[in-house]
Amino acid sequence: FSETEKIPVMRGQWFIDGTWQPLEEEESNLIEQEHLHRFKGQQLQESFDMEVSKPVDGKEAIHSLKLSRNHVDWHSVDEVYLYSDATTSKIARTVTQKLGFSKASSSGTRLHRGYVEEATLEDKPPQTSHIVFVVHGIGQKMDQGRIIKNTAMMRDTARKIEEKYFSNLATHVEFLPVEWRSKLTLDGDTVDSITPDKVRGLRDMLNSSAMDIMYYTSPLYRDELVKGLQQELNRLYTLFCSRNPEFEEKGGKVSIVSHSLGCVITYDIMTGWNPVRLYEQLLQKEEEELEDRWMSYEEQCLLEELYRTKQRLREIEERLHGLKASTISKPPVLKFKVENFFCMGSPLAVFLALRGIRPGNSGSQDHILPRTICNRLLNIFHPTDPVAYRLEPLILKHYSNISPVQIHWYNTANPLPYERMKPNFLNPTKEPTSVTDSESASTVPSPTTSPVMVRRHYGESITNIGKASILGAASIGKGLGGMLFSRFGRSSTTTPQTLETGKDGAEGDDKKATTAGTPPFPHSGSGFLEPAVELEHRIDFELREGLVESRYWSAVTSHTAYWSSLDIALFLLTFMYKHDQEDPDKSNLDSI
């Protein structure tokens, strides 16, 4: 961030009596040099009490130092006073001294060398056992240094939670901001030069925020964004380890908290995803379609020759890669293993859906993020955040009808541990009111299909690419305004068209279920269920809405409201201190 916004770190040597505020560093250094030159080797009085300011009536200064606007008098080695040389101060000193008051007691400010409390070995901060890299999303160019302030807010709230729930632990979690946007050049000022002047403020805001999404979808600039974040993560990790050499030796862990577009870039860095893969899949699909249609003899010969040429090209490429791998050992993309990947207000699900990710038959996180790369993926969102989407329905389709896990309020007494919370429907099944309803209720779905149910407003399936995902992705591409209003445009009530779609979907599900022979999907009247296939671990976690919260106003503010949330701070620390919580000796953590 800019030079003017840098936060100075100063060494305090000389302090003002009473307030114990440090002097300006420049003056403090001059006083320190003069003090050491004049009094080095002399002992302080044993009876000297740093908390009591004693006047030096009748004592003459044994040494003085002239500063730019002040001067300092030493009456002894441990009695040092600072005086202002302003005209009003000189007049006041003259008047008070004529009235019988001493110079020091009338206008001098006593100085102390060293702070009121001496440092001890126990004052050092607890050992850092877990570091969290906090990655920003769009808008950093518009408000440079914002991620520094947001991380500071998250760190402060985490400290409060640590003091309340984890105070008996000898280690702590450290949050480190990752600012990757400001160092990128991208197109320079080309976009600014083609921006019209009318409503310039709004246009500049969109250029500095939503334009990052356009850059990331551009084949020309995508790699620059990925490398910018990757290099900054590795640089910060190397720097931290150089200053904390015991971190790796003692098995320190690393987690990443990403916000908004930062989630997508972080995911692509960890998995190594590249648009070239998508292009290769498209070519393979076209080849399969060519094989299925009728062709002339000449076309068949040309196609066979094309296949042989491609096969030969692949063999040459593999040999070339083999030679490179034997001579140059490629370093890992990241210099550390990611323990937890927390997504906040994340559009990652939309990007994955548009890349062709579809639900599978296994409840493993490996379907979208292998555990060998990241031990745990957690998707945090506010229910009215217009940029956030769910990830669980991309693994198992029927989870689009299962509500996300509700994040506990930080002051909840004896909350149920997240691992013990059973999945439940977004809305409990209602009694059938017609023959059609009765048939729908008795439908036997497969593990990869969804029961037809009334859905909540924001619970729309992310796998419905024809409507939810494509509209959501298009709105992202159009900017922040599109993001906000695309979600408002969805009706919370079920339209006739939706009912027809649902009916067709139910018929298709019936056919699949009949062929698959999957056991029924049992559930109770309370809304809890026991699906045939469950996720190994829940991924979607939802903040609770406030009782007096306006949904429309919240939709505008919720995307940036994660940083200071005590609920999120407790949630993050609960998973990072998971191994300590499992320790039976840690009794004060049992309630979390």
Side-chain angles (χ1 to χ4, degrees):
F1 47 102
S2 65
E3 197 74 24
T4 56
E5 292 179 337
K6 287 190 175 180
I7 301 171
V9 178
M10 298 184 296
R11 181 187 298 275
Q13 291 178 313
W14 288 86
F15 296 83
I16 297 171
D17 182 64
T19 63
W20 291 99
Q21 293 296 310
L23 285 181
E24 292 291 335
E25 193 168 16
E26 185 179 351
E27 291 187 346
S28 180
N29 288 337
L30 292 172
I31 296 172
E32 178 69 10
Q33 290 175 9
E34 194 71 17
H35 184 81
L36 291 176
H37 177 71
R38 177 69 176 79
F39 299 101
K40 190 173 183 180
Q42 295 190 26
Q43 297 293 322
L44 295 174
Q45 296 177 16
E46 294 183 2
S47 61
F48 177 66
D49 185 357
M50 295 188 73
E51 298 197 14
V52 179
S53 276
K54 297 179 181 179
V56 287
D57 297 349
K59 275 191 180 181
E60 291 296 327
I62 59 175
H63 189 72
S64 293
L65 172 66
K66 181 72 175 70
L67 302 174
S68 58
R69 292 168 297 173
N70 310 294
H71 73 272
V72 180
D73 285 351
W74 278 263
H75 297 275
S76 68
V77 66
D78 54 10
E79 292 178 310
V80 186
Y81 284 82
L82 177 72
Y83 302 96
S84 172
D85 287 340
T87 305
T88 52
S89 298
K90 288 182 178 179
I91 294 173
R93 268 203 303 273
T94 304
V95 173
T96 52
Q97 284 176 356
K98 286 183 178 180
L99 293 174
F101 295 96
S102 69
K103 177 182 175 183
S105 62
S106 61
S107 60
T109 302
R110 187 170 184 180
L111 302 180
H112 294 291
R113 188 170 181 262
Y115 195 59
V116 62
E117 296 175 3
E118 291 186 1
T120 62
L121 291 175
E122 290 74 24
D123 288 340
K124 65 179 181 180
Q127 180 190 349
T128 301
S129 60
H130 207 128
I131 57 175
V132 183
F133 290 121
V134 185
V135 180
H136 65 78
I138 65 173
Q140 191 67 19
K141 182 183 176 184
M142 179 175 60
D143 187 6
Q144 291 187 5
R146 171 56 57 185
I147 188 60
I148 312 292
K149 300 168 189 173
N150 289 339
T151 305
M153 284 193 288
M154 180 170 279
R155 187 185 298 115
D156 291 342
T157 52
R159 291 291 175 268
K160 294 176 184 176
I161 296 298
E162 276 186 326
E163 290 174 5
K164 184 173 182 179
Y165 293 108
F166 306 96
S167 58
N168 63 332
L169 299 180
T171 60
H172 86 292
V173 177
E174 184 57 62
F175 293 82
L176 303 174
V178 183
E179 203 289 288
W180 52 267
R181 178 63 176 83
S182 63
K183 297 178 182 177
L184 306 181
T185 55
L186 298 173
D187 63 58
D189 58 351
T190 305
V191 171
D192 290 335
S193 67
I194 61 175
T195 303
D197 288 331
K198 298 296 181 182
V199 291
R200 186 72 188 203
L202 177 61
R203 294 179 188 275
D204 287 341
M205 184 191 72
L206 292 175
N207 285 352
S208 300
S209 55
M211 189 59 64
D212 286 345
I213 300 169
M214 307 297 285
Y215 284 134
Y216 196 65
T217 55
S218 165
L220 189 61
Y221 299 114
R222 180 189 176 277
D223 284 349
E224 189 177 348
L225 267 69
V226 170
K227 287 179 181 177
L229 176 55
Q230 174 192 328
Q231 290 172 0
E232 187 65 9
L233 283 168
N234 286 334
R235 185 188 73 83
L236 290 173
Y237 181 75
T238 303
L239 182 62
F240 181 85
C241 290
S242 68
R243 296 178 178 177
N244 300 270
E246 295 182 351
F247 179 75
E248 286 184 307
E249 297 172 7
K250 295 189 176 180
K253 295 180 180 178
V254 183
S255 292
I256 297 178
V257 173
S258 292
H259 181 241
S260 190
L261 182 66
C263 302
V264 183
I265 305 175
T266 305
Y267 173 88
D268 288 349
I269 289 172
M270 289 193 295
T271 58
W273 187 87
N274 194 292
V276 176
R277 288 189 188 178
L278 208 58
Y279 178 68
E280 290 174 349
Q281 292 172 5
L282 182 62
L283 289 179
Q284 186 177 355
K285 188 177 180 182
E286 288 179 352
E287 290 175 3
E288 292 171 357
E289 290 174 354
L290 278 173
E291 292 174 355
D292 293 338
R293 73 176 181 84
W294 182 87
M295 289 181 291
S296 65
Y297 177 75
E298 186 178 0
E299 280 182 310
Q300 288 179 357
C301 291
L302 289 172
L303 192 61
E304 287 175 5
E305 186 177 348
L306 178 64
Y307 286 160
R308 285 195 297 269
T309 305
K310 286 185 175 180
Q311 182 64 31
R312 178 62 180 157
L313 180 62
R314 276 195 288 266
E315 290 174 1
I316 295 172
E317 286 179 343
E318 287 174 2
R319 287 174 60 189
L320 183 62
H321 289 318
L323 287 172
K324 286 183 178 178
S326 61
T327 55
I328 303 172
S329 57
K330 188 178 179 181
V333 176
L334 292 176
K335 295 182 178 180
F336 51 87
K337 167 76 182 294
V338 180
E339 183 69 18
N340 303 293
F341 178 33
F342 299 95
C343 298
M344 298 194 311
S346 168
L348 176 61
V350 170
F351 281 80
L352 295 182
L354 296 182
R355 292 172 184 177
I357 299 292
R358 295 295 180 269
N361 297 316
S362 168
S364 173
Q365 171 190 302
D366 294 348
H367 186 66
I368 55 177
L369 183 62
R371 297 281 294 274
T372 54
I373 297 174
C374 174
N375 187 46
R376 190 75 188 267
L377 170 65
L378 302 107
N379 184 37
I380 306 167
F381 60 93
H382 191 280
T384 60
D385 186 345
V387 185
Y389 289 83
R390 293 190 61 185
L391 282 168
E392 289 176 345
L394 284 180
I395 301 175
L396 292 174
K397 187 177 179 182
H398 63 263
Y399 268 78
S400 61
N401 284 325
I402 296 174
S403 63
V405 180
Q406 296 282 298
I407 293 177
H408 299 309
W409 281 311
Y410 76 96
N411 54 1
T412 303
N414 300 319
L416 186 66
Y418 290 111
E419 299 298 334
R420 298 182 194 171
M421 296 175 73
K422 293 183 178 180
N424 61 297
F425 283 121
L426 288 171
N427 285 314
T429 307
K430 295 186 291 186
E431 292 295 324
T433 54
S434 65
V435 176
T436 306
D437 292 340
S438 178
E439 290 175 357
S440 299
S442 61
T443 299
V444 183
S446 75
T448 58
T449 58
S450 302
V452 180
M453 301 182 65
V454 179
R455 306 170 59 87
R456 276 202 298 195
H457 173 68
Y458 60 87
E460 194 163 352
S461 174
I462 191 62
T463 56
N464 233 345
I465 304 302
K467 292 184 179 180
S469 298
I470 290 180
L471 287 174
S475 67
I476 288 179
K478 289 178 182 177
L480 293 176
M483 288 180 192
L484 296 173
F485 294 106
S486 67
R487 302 300 284 270
F488 295 152
R490 298 181 186 173
S491 173
S492 58
T493 58
T494 308
T495 62
Q497 184 180 359
T498 309
L499 286 173
E500 289 176 11
T501 307
K503 202 177 294 181
D504 294 340
E507 291 173 3
D509 290 350
D510 286 341
K511 292 176 184 177
K512 291 179 184 177
T514 305
T515 56
T518 315
F521 193 77
H523 54 79
S524 65
S526 64
F528 292 103
L529 63 144
E530 297 175 2
V533 180
E534 284 191 55
L535 290 171
E536 291 178 358
H537 297 288
R538 293 302 302 270
I539 294 174
D540 292 335
F541 294 86
E542 178 186 69
L543 285 166
R544 298 174 187 266
E545 289 186 86
L547 298 176
V548 292
E549 195 172 355
S550 166
R551 284 194 173 182
Y552 288 95
W553 174 245
S554 179
V556 178
T557 60
S558 59
H559 187 59
T560 56
Y562 299 99
W563 308 107
S564 58
S565 169
L566 288 165
D567 300 340
I568 287 183
L570 176 59
F571 179 83
L572 298 177
L573 294 177
T574 298
F575 282 91
M576 290 179 214
Y577 282 127
K578 188 174 177 60
H579 297 293
D580 294 317
Q581 287 172 255
E582 292 168 356
D583 189 342
D585 296 332
K586 308 276 192 304
S587 58
N588 67 326
L589 301 177
D590 292 342
S591 62
I592 300 178

